[in-house]
Amino acid sequence: MSKENKLIVFITGLPGTGKSYACNLICQRFPQFVPVSYDRIKELFWDTYGFDSHEEKVAINDRSLEFYYRYLDEQMKHHNVLLAEYPFCQRQRDELARLVSKNGFNAITVCLEGDLDVIYDRQKNRDEHDPRHPGHLGDVYHIEEYEKYVNGPHYDYTKEQYWQLHSHKDYHLHIGREFDMDVTDFSKISYDDVIKEIERILEDNPMNKLIEMSEKFPQTVLWTDSFAVEDHRIGLENGMRGVTTSPTWVSKMMCLEPLENHRDLILMLHHEHPEYNEAELTWAWTLQMGRQRSRIMLPLWEKGNPHEGRFSIQTSIYEYNNYERILQMAREVNGCGPNMQVKIPCTENGIKAIEQATYEGISCMGTQCYSVDQALAAAEAVERALNRREKEGLANDRLNPMIALLPGMQDDSVKANAEKNGLTIHPDALNWAGIAVARKTMKLLQERNYRIRPLIAYYRSMLHWTQFIGADVALSIPMRWQKRFVFSDAEIRDYYHDEIEPWKIEELKKIPLFVQAYEEGSLRPADFVHLDQVVSTFRYFTTEYQKAVEKVRDICLADPTK
């Protein structure tokens, strides 16, 4: 895209000038804007490293700023309309201007200023009454004692100290066209000129397709499938409402991220639990990472909708059919934070664990669900648990039972089964196997008024996105597919209620494995663990997860010859 339609808006000014308000106003008027928040990155660094003094905090802030520049550069390669809100000043001006020029962007700077007394009172009131990350409020912070710092002593600047801290900073960046706004009296502020300039630059700029989907079909909800921090940030910018992870994402987190990010934590866990083997240490480390990385979703969770702000972790892949161990791990995942969702495989014993965990007040997501029979069994187990809770006077309004349907892996297995049986199947039908099973499952769940909510994961093509638009469903889309979909040519309309051509279903019914997945009554609970799709997934997950276990072994038992 040419520079004419590429735009970044910087909103800067003293703390307390209303930058977040201005950011929200612009995003409401132009939903295609992708926020690129430095505060989120800084808070993540605080959660990851912690600090015990002002000097340590400054050092971490410097590291997070360097990371932010790289992150902003990357976002400029993937998005055309960005919004950056922070007290940016001359210290950051040159690097921000360099990135704008390098990536061929137009820029607008909105500098907020006003009467110091009013701004000081506004900032002090925010620190005292608005929920903020405690890292903003003091010189000592560690995530392990989050509540202590939220409720503990905070910065208590006098007006003179506040002025001394900020008076030497020049917030006039002069990157692109600059608008200076007096925000002393919010009732007298007008952003009309800013909006007109944005409209002029963005004329005919395409909207982010994922945001367009969320606006047109709010019941079709975007999630992100990843354990990677950067993916979570981009997902939030695309409008995501929840996160799924899997054993493969645990492996990628360990194997693809710098090992120094995780070495100290693993060694600490090894010291605290010398009796743990490498697999147990890997599980303990996964829980710790869940505690840290799920916090990015807490602002959504704290708005009160139990379906939003969720962060899911799957129970250990090695214990896929052990009822007692799955249940114990479900409790451990649930203890990682208030917004956790526990993924449990839909084997016979896994579904038993889903029922008991749901009864205990744990939000579960049945996964590795490839057949109508598995989904119905999981839904019935959830209903039994919810009914037991209601009879005992326990509230269900904060629970979020879900079932993950995996059309991409379904397609892979059905194609392999057709090949194994030497069948000749029309290629246009083969890519609809996963969609057909998922759609039938979703409609049966709805018809029978089950309270379990469907989620679509594991993508192989854009059909696994578009063919569910319009449904009441969560779509957990990996980042590599989100990046493709954002500015694709797909028309955003209701595809879900379009009937699959009957000949495609008849063609697929020639494949034995598809019939097992599609036809109700084909499988007994004891068969679930032996279903081809389930076995293939366990084998794939175990192979990938083992790579993380071996990394843990290398850390705890370092090769003495190297």
Side-chain angles (χ1 to χ4, degrees), residues 366-377:
T367 189
Q368 286 157 256
C369 180
Y370 295 103
S371 66
V372 168
D373 287 328
Q374 285 176 285
L376 294 179

Side-chain angles (χ1 to χ4, degrees), residues 294-469:
S294 64
R295 293 198 55 79
I296 196 170
M297 300 306 295
L298 282 180
L300 264 178
W301 163 259
E302 289 167 352
K303 290 182 179 180
N305 184 338
H307 305 317
E308 298 192 345
R310 292 285 182 175
F311 193 101
S312 69
I313 295 176
Q314 183 165 334
T315 53
S316 174
I317 193 62
Y318 299 118
E319 313 288 353
Y320 58 83
N321 208 30
N322 183 327
Y323 167 77
E324 294 292 345
R325 189 69 184 105
I326 291 172
L327 186 58
Q328 178 57 35
M329 288 187 291
R331 294 166 181 153
E332 292 168 358
V333 172
N334 190 57
C336 290
N339 57 332
M340 302 307 293
Q341 185 102 26
V342 186
K343 291 176 67 178
I344 297 176
C346 286
T347 60
E348 182 177 19
N349 283 327
I351 290 171
K352 289 178 182 177
I354 288 173
E355 180 173 349
Q356 179 59 26
T358 302
Y359 169 71
E360 293 180 12
I362 298 171
S363 289
C364 296
M365 180 187 296
T367 189
Q368 286 157 256
C369 180
Y370 295 103
S371 66
V372 168
D373 287 328
Q374 285 176 285
L376 294 179
E380 289 160 4
V382 167
E383 290 300 313
R384 290 192 295 270
L386 296 177
N387 290 338
R388 284 172 64 197
R389 289 176 58 82
E390 289 169 353
K391 287 179 182 178
E392 297 178 18
L394 300 172
N396 292 328
D397 59 324
R398 299 297 288 167
L399 291 178
N400 183 47
M402 300 185 78
I403 188 80
L405 311 174
L406 316 174
M409 285 190 167
Q410 184 84 262
D411 284 357
D412 294 346
S413 292
V414 168
K415 290 174 183 177
N417 190 250
E419 184 70 20
K420 177 181 178 181
N421 286 282
L423 300 174
T424 302
I425 306 296
H426 196 293
D428 288 351
L430 284 171
N431 289 327
W432 289 81
I435 296 168
V437 174
R439 280 191 178 185
K440 182 174 181 179
T441 299
M442 291 163 62
K443 288 172 182 175
L444 287 173
L445 295 176
Q446 184 178 29
E447 288 169 4
R448 299 178 189 184
N449 295 313
Y450 290 132
R451 285 171 280 185
I452 201 165
R453 300 178 62 245
L455 175 142
I456 303 298
Y458 280 89
Y459 290 70
R460 294 293 185 267
S461 76
M462 71 181 295
L463 289 175
H464 296 148
W465 166 47
T466 58
Q467 293 304 311
F468 297 96
I469 296 176

Side-chain angles (χ1 to χ4, degrees), residues 29 60 98 198 228 255 282 313 354 384 446 485 489 494:
R29 175 63 181 80
I60 290 173
R98 186 187 71 80
I198 293 173
C255 298
T282 305
I313 295 176
I354 288 173
R384 290 192 295 270
Q446 184 178 29
F485 296 159
D489 294 330
D494 184 345

